[in-house]
Amino acid sequence: MQATVAADRPLLVAPSILSADFAHLGAAVDTVTPAVSWLHVDVMDGHFVPNLTIGPPVVASLSAATDLYLDCHLMMTNPERYLEAFRDAGANGCTVHVEVGDTDAKIDQMRDLGLRVGLAVNPDGTFAMVEPYLDRIDLLLCMTVFPGFGGQSFIPSVMETVRLARTAATERGLVLDIEVDGGVDVSTVVDCTTAGANVFVAGSAVFNRPDPAAAAEAIFDAASSARQHLLDA
Ligand code: DX5
Ligand code: ZN
């Protein structure tokens, strides 16, 4: 397998609060805070995906309670109606899905709002769907499960999209984070790193463990070793 490791981007584990206990969200955030700098916030609208989760009021509460970077993944059909509210609530970056369309306008809107700009593609999407936007975004989210629920199995075929994106970013000299989301754990993170991802969302592999901070650190360590191994080769 060709290695396309992200040599110039930080490796980050972003615990997904979807797998946390929503009745004790602040405590869940505290359990991972020493180990990570990002928190992944899954926003589902019951339309783009068959599930409902949280919105700007919860992001505002999180923002008041933590200094972690709030990485908001908007699984929504009409994210443009809510981007300003997420920004005002304290979101640092927002990620919209390419499948909902009108992507250029959404990128412009996020940029104008001062958000870091993310674009997501589902596991059955292609590199060609996101390629035209790579120069205009900060983060490409390659979904490694079909969005909607935590605890699903990692889909390895998505690594091809990650490899193509990392290769394109390197060739074009782009500063691009490539994030993977779904079924990421200490084992699957190795393939993700080798393909060129550098941001690793993990829900159940962090919050469903007895020591979430240690679990996040173990995922980081696995990614870090895999990258070092490739850079030394
Ligand atoms: C899926 C969400 C993911 C999810 C990941 O729709 O976007 O962020 O929480 O959960 P795990 O890590 O359990 O697959
Ligand atoms: Zn997500």
Side-chain angles (χ1 to χ4, degrees), residues 76-157:
M76 310 176 76
T77 304
N78 299 109
E80 70 281 0
R81 296 181 190 167
Y82 301 92
L83 284 168
E84 188 170 0
F86 279 108
R87 192 279 311 271
D88 291 347
N92 298 97
C94 281
T95 296
V96 300
H97 270 261
V98 72
E99 292 84 3
V100 302
D102 212 5
T103 301
D104 278 308
K106 292 178 177 69
I107 291 173
D108 287 344
Q109 190 184 354
M110 286 187 278
R111 197 61 80 198
D112 289 348
L113 287 166
L115 290 160
R116 274 192 100 230
V117 175
L119 184 65
V121 59
N122 279 342
D124 58 355
T126 61
F127 175 64
M129 289 166 64
V130 293
E131 187 279 331
Y133 308 105
L134 292 185
D135 303 43
R136 309 190 53 218
I137 61 177
D138 301 305
L139 177 145
L140 177 68
L141 169 51
C142 297
M143 290 302 301
T144 39
V145 298
F146 284 90
F149 302 92
Q152 303 182 76
S153 295
F154 182 81
I155 301 174
S157 58

Side-chain angles (χ1 to χ4, degrees), residues 13-16 19 31-32 184 202-213 215-216 219:
V13 176
S16 165
S19 298
T31 62
V32 293
V184 175
S204 37
V206 169
F207 286 114
N208 293 357
R209 297 291 191 275
D211 183 342
I219 294 169

Side-chain angles (χ1 to χ4, degrees), residues 43-58:
V43 178
M44 304 187 186
D45 68 351
H47 189 259
F48 181 69
V49 287
N51 198 2
L52 280 168
T53 55
I54 60 176
V58 175

Side-chain angles (χ1 to χ4, degrees), residues 40 42 73 75 181:
H40 186 78
D42 283 309
H73 176 194
M75 288 161 273
D181 181 7

Side-chain angles (χ1 to χ4, degrees), residues 27 59 89 146 152 159 172 233:
V59 172
F146 284 90
Q152 303 182 76
M159 294 304 98
R172 298 183 203 175

